[in-house]
Protein backbone atom coordinates (compact mmCIF):
# COMPACT_ATOMS: atom_id res chain seq x y z
CA UNK A 1 0.00 0.00 0.00
CA UNK A 2 1.72 3.17 -1.20
CA UNK A 3 0.79 6.83 -1.26
CA UNK A 4 -1.41 8.63 1.24
CA UNK A 5 -4.94 7.89 2.42
CA UNK A 6 -6.94 10.04 4.83
CA UNK A 7 -9.96 8.55 6.63
CA UNK A 8 -11.97 11.49 7.93
CA UNK A 9 -15.04 11.93 10.14
CA UNK A 10 -14.68 8.50 11.75
CA UNK A 11 -15.39 7.42 15.30
CA UNK A 12 -11.98 6.11 16.32
CA UNK A 13 -12.05 3.32 18.89
CA UNK A 14 -8.95 4.01 21.00
CA UNK A 15 -7.69 2.19 24.07
CA UNK A 16 -9.73 4.18 26.60
CA UNK A 17 -12.18 6.23 24.58
CA UNK A 18 -14.03 6.72 21.32
CA UNK A 19 -13.41 10.02 19.56
CA UNK A 20 -14.47 11.62 16.31
CA UNK A 21 -11.39 12.17 14.22
CA UNK A 22 -9.25 11.32 11.22
CA UNK A 23 -6.47 8.86 10.46
CA UNK A 24 -3.76 9.55 7.90
CA UNK A 25 -2.08 6.51 6.34
CA UNK A 26 1.13 7.06 4.42
CA UNK A 27 3.03 4.34 2.55
CA UNK A 28 1.26 1.59 4.45
CA UNK A 29 1.83 3.05 7.92
CA UNK A 30 -0.41 5.07 10.23
CA UNK A 31 1.15 8.51 9.99
CA UNK A 32 -1.12 10.64 12.17
CA UNK A 33 -4.33 10.71 14.20
CA UNK A 34 -6.28 13.94 14.62
CA UNK A 35 -9.34 14.77 16.68
CA UNK A 36 -12.21 16.37 14.83
CA UNK A 37 -12.78 16.60 11.11
CA UNK A 38 -9.99 17.61 8.76
CA UNK A 39 -12.21 18.11 5.71
CA UNK A 40 -10.19 16.02 3.26
CA UNK A 41 -9.99 12.37 2.28
CA UNK A 42 -12.64 9.67 2.56
CA UNK A 43 -15.63 10.74 4.65
CA UNK A 44 -16.69 7.96 7.04
CA UNK A 45 -19.94 9.73 7.97
CA UNK A 46 -19.37 8.95 11.64
CA UNK A 47 -18.87 5.20 11.18
CA UNK A 48 -16.66 3.36 13.65
CA UNK A 49 -13.03 2.68 12.76
CA UNK A 50 -11.44 0.03 14.96
CA UNK A 51 -8.04 -1.72 15.04
CA UNK A 52 -8.04 -5.21 13.58
CA UNK A 53 -7.72 -8.06 16.07
CA UNK A 54 -4.71 -10.39 16.18
CA UNK A 55 -5.69 -14.08 16.18
CA UNK A 56 -2.80 -15.91 17.84
CA UNK A 57 -4.07 -19.49 17.55
CA UNK A 58 -6.66 -20.83 15.17
CA UNK A 59 -7.02 -24.37 13.84
CA UNK A 60 -9.75 -23.40 11.39
CA UNK A 61 -7.53 -23.57 8.31
CA UNK A 62 -6.84 -27.22 9.14
CA UNK A 63 -10.55 -27.86 9.72
CA UNK A 64 -11.39 -26.32 6.35
CA UNK A 65 -8.82 -28.51 4.67
CA UNK A 66 -9.86 -31.65 6.57
CA UNK A 67 -13.53 -31.09 7.48
CA UNK A 68 -14.15 -34.77 8.25
CA UNK A 69 -12.02 -37.88 8.77
CA UNK A 70 -10.55 -39.17 5.51
CA UNK A 71 -11.78 -36.09 3.63
CA UNK A 72 -9.37 -33.44 2.32
CA UNK A 73 -10.41 -30.25 0.57
CA UNK A 74 -8.15 -28.44 -1.88
CA UNK A 75 -5.82 -26.49 0.48
CA UNK A 76 -5.81 -23.19 -1.42
CA UNK A 77 -9.61 -23.07 -1.39
CA UNK A 78 -9.52 -23.98 2.30
CA UNK A 79 -7.17 -21.11 3.14
CA UNK A 80 -9.28 -18.62 1.17
CA UNK A 81 -12.46 -19.71 2.97
CA UNK A 82 -10.65 -19.49 6.30
CA UNK A 83 -9.33 -16.02 5.43
CA UNK A 84 -12.84 -14.79 4.63
CA UNK A 85 -14.13 -15.99 8.00
CA UNK A 86 -11.25 -14.43 9.92
CA UNK A 87 -11.68 -10.99 8.37
CA UNK A 88 -15.46 -11.15 8.80
CA UNK A 89 -14.83 -11.77 12.51
CA UNK A 90 -12.54 -8.74 12.77
CA UNK A 91 -9.10 -10.41 12.68
CA UNK A 92 -6.59 -8.81 10.34
CA UNK A 93 -3.49 -10.69 11.53
CA UNK A 94 -3.88 -14.45 11.79
CA UNK A 95 -1.42 -17.02 13.10
CA UNK A 96 -2.55 -20.23 11.45
CA UNK A 97 -1.79 -23.30 13.55
CA UNK A 98 0.10 -26.04 11.74
CA UNK A 99 0.08 -29.35 13.57
CA UNK A 100 3.44 -31.08 13.83
CA UNK A 101 3.48 -34.66 15.06
CA UNK A 102 1.05 -37.54 14.75
CA UNK A 103 -1.02 -39.22 17.43
CA UNK A 104 -1.14 -42.95 18.17
CA UNK A 105 -4.21 -43.39 15.97
CA UNK A 106 -3.00 -41.14 13.14
CA UNK A 107 -1.31 -41.94 9.88
CA UNK A 108 2.08 -40.26 10.37
CA UNK A 109 2.67 -39.79 6.66
CA UNK A 110 -0.78 -38.26 6.17
CA UNK A 111 -0.29 -35.87 9.09
CA UNK A 112 3.06 -34.69 7.73
CA UNK A 113 1.59 -34.31 4.25
CA UNK A 114 -1.32 -32.24 5.58
CA UNK A 115 1.07 -29.87 7.37
CA UNK A 116 3.13 -29.47 4.22
CA UNK A 117 0.10 -28.86 1.98
CA UNK A 118 -1.37 -26.30 4.39
CA UNK A 119 1.95 -24.46 4.63
CA UNK A 120 2.31 -24.39 0.86
CA UNK A 121 -1.23 -23.02 0.52
CA UNK A 122 -0.56 -20.23 3.02
CA UNK A 123 2.66 -19.29 1.23
CA UNK A 124 1.05 -19.50 -2.20
CA UNK A 125 -1.95 -17.32 -1.36
CA UNK A 126 0.31 -14.74 0.28
CA UNK A 127 2.51 -14.60 -2.80
CA UNK A 128 -0.53 -14.32 -5.06
CA UNK A 129 -1.77 -11.40 -2.93
CA UNK A 130 -5.30 -12.80 -2.64
CA UNK A 131 -5.67 -12.73 1.16
CA UNK A 132 -7.49 -10.02 3.07
CA UNK A 133 -5.69 -10.67 6.38
CA UNK A 134 -1.99 -11.04 7.06
CA UNK A 135 -1.48 -14.79 7.60
CA UNK A 136 1.51 -16.10 9.55
CA UNK A 137 2.31 -19.50 11.05
CA UNK A 138 1.95 -20.97 14.52
CA UNK A 139 3.66 -24.34 14.97
CA UNK A 140 1.53 -26.54 17.23
CA UNK A 141 3.93 -29.25 18.39
CA UNK A 142 2.49 -32.51 19.72
CA UNK A 143 5.31 -33.31 22.15
CA UNK A 144 4.09 -36.87 22.77
CA UNK A 145 4.49 -37.72 19.07
CA UNK A 146 7.73 -39.50 18.16
CA UNK A 147 7.97 -37.62 14.85
CA UNK A 148 7.35 -34.15 16.31
CA UNK A 149 10.98 -33.04 16.56
CA UNK A 150 11.80 -34.19 13.05
CA UNK A 151 8.87 -32.25 11.61
CA UNK A 152 9.66 -29.19 13.73
CA UNK A 153 13.19 -29.00 12.35
CA UNK A 154 11.72 -28.73 8.85
CA UNK A 155 9.75 -25.58 9.77
CA UNK A 156 11.70 -23.96 12.61
CA UNK A 157 13.56 -21.44 10.43
CA UNK A 158 10.64 -20.56 8.17
CA UNK A 159 10.22 -16.76 7.94
CA UNK A 160 6.45 -16.95 8.47
CA UNK A 161 6.74 -18.72 11.84
CA UNK A 162 5.86 -16.33 14.67
CA UNK A 163 4.77 -18.65 17.47
CA UNK A 164 5.49 -22.18 18.71
CA UNK A 165 3.32 -23.97 21.27
CA UNK A 166 3.81 -27.32 22.98
CA UNK A 167 0.75 -29.55 23.13
CA UNK A 168 0.55 -32.65 25.33
CA UNK A 169 -2.25 -34.94 24.19
CA UNK A 170 -0.88 -38.01 25.90
CA UNK A 171 -3.84 -40.26 26.75
CA UNK A 172 -5.67 -40.51 29.06
CA UNK A 173 -4.67 -37.35 30.94
CA UNK A 174 -4.35 -34.97 28.03
CA UNK A 175 -7.16 -32.63 29.10
CA UNK A 176 -6.16 -30.32 31.96
CA UNK A 177 -8.70 -29.20 34.53
CA UNK A 178 -10.40 -26.03 33.43
CA UNK A 179 -9.85 -23.04 35.68
CA UNK A 180 -11.62 -19.69 35.49
CA UNK A 181 -9.83 -17.24 33.23
CA UNK A 182 -10.11 -13.53 34.02
CA UNK A 183 -11.45 -11.21 31.36
CA UNK A 184 -8.72 -10.27 28.95
CA UNK A 185 -8.47 -7.70 26.23
CA UNK A 186 -8.34 -9.19 22.76
CA UNK A 187 -4.93 -8.43 21.23
CA UNK A 188 -5.23 -5.94 18.43
CA UNK A 189 -3.17 -3.50 16.43
CA UNK A 190 -2.76 -0.12 18.12
CA UNK A 191 -3.91 3.17 16.66
CA UNK A 192 -0.47 4.72 16.77
CA UNK A 193 1.97 6.30 14.32
CA UNK A 194 4.13 3.85 12.34
CA UNK A 195 1.69 0.97 12.86
CA UNK A 196 1.56 -1.03 9.60
CA UNK A 197 -1.70 -1.02 7.66
CA UNK A 198 -2.43 -4.18 5.68
CA UNK A 199 -4.61 -3.70 2.60
CA UNK A 200 -2.94 -6.03 0.12
CA UNK A 201 -5.91 -7.55 -1.68
CA UNK A 202 -6.71 -5.42 -4.74
CA UNK A 203 -10.45 -6.15 -4.67
CA UNK A 204 -10.88 -5.93 -0.90
CA UNK A 205 -12.71 -2.85 0.39
CA UNK A 206 -10.45 -0.19 1.83
CA UNK A 207 -10.95 -0.28 4.71
CA UNK A 208 -12.67 -3.62 5.28
CA UNK A 209 -16.06 -3.38 6.93
CA UNK A 210 -18.74 -5.47 8.56
CA UNK A 211 -22.33 -4.41 9.15
CA UNK A 212 -23.90 -4.58 12.60
CA UNK A 213 -27.67 -4.47 13.02
CA UNK A 214 -29.42 -3.22 16.14
CA UNK A 215 -32.15 -5.80 16.81
CA UNK A 216 -34.36 -3.32 18.67
CA UNK A 217 -34.32 -0.39 16.28
CA UNK A 218 -33.51 -2.32 13.08
CA UNK A 219 -30.99 0.37 12.23
CA UNK A 220 -27.65 -0.54 10.78
CA UNK A 221 -24.29 0.94 11.63
CA UNK A 222 -21.02 0.14 9.94
CA UNK A 223 -17.81 -0.83 11.68
CA UNK A 224 -14.59 -0.64 9.69
CA UNK A 225 -11.49 -2.64 10.56
CA UNK A 226 -8.11 -1.05 10.17
CA UNK A 227 -4.86 -2.97 10.28
Amino acid sequence: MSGELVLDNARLVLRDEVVLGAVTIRDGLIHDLERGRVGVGEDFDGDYLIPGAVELHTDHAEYHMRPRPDVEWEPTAAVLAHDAQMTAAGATTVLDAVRLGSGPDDDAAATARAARRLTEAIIGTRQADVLRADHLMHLRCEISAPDCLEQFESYADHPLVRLVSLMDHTPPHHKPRRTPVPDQTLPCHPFAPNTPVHCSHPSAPRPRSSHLTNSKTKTRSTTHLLH
Side-chain angles (χ1 to χ4, degrees), residues 139-160:
L139 302 183
R140 198 183 75 230
C141 301
E142 302 288 344
I143 60 174
S144 59
D147 55 347
C148 177
L149 183 58
E150 179 183 355
Q151 291 190 33
F152 173 76
E153 290 174 345
S154 301
Y155 294 91
D157 295 327
H158 197 285
L160 291 184

Side-chain angles (χ1 to χ4, degrees), residues 48-137:
Y48 287 96
L49 183 61
I50 67 175
V54 180
E55 174 58 76
L56 295 177
H57 182 173
T58 171
D59 302 324
H60 288 172
E62 289 184 336
Y63 293 148
H64 275 290
M65 195 175 75
R66 305 180 74 179
R68 294 184 300 278
D70 302 321
V71 174
E72 284 198 13
W73 195 22
E74 202 285 317
T76 297
V79 169
L80 291 175
H82 165 60
D83 174 66
Q85 287 187 332
M86 288 291 99
T87 52
T92 55
T93 296
V94 182
L95 273 66
D96 294 318
V98 177
R99 177 186 175 186
L100 302 182
S102 54
D105 299 325
D106 297 327
D107 182 330
T111 301
R113 183 176 65 252
R116 183 175 63 254
R117 295 183 71 208
L118 177 58
T119 301
E120 291 172 351
I122 294 171
I123 296 171
T125 49
R126 282 178 58 96
Q127 292 176 343
D129 199 18
V130 293
L131 297 172
R132 294 175 175 86
D134 186 18
H135 286 258
L136 303 167
M137 290 169 55

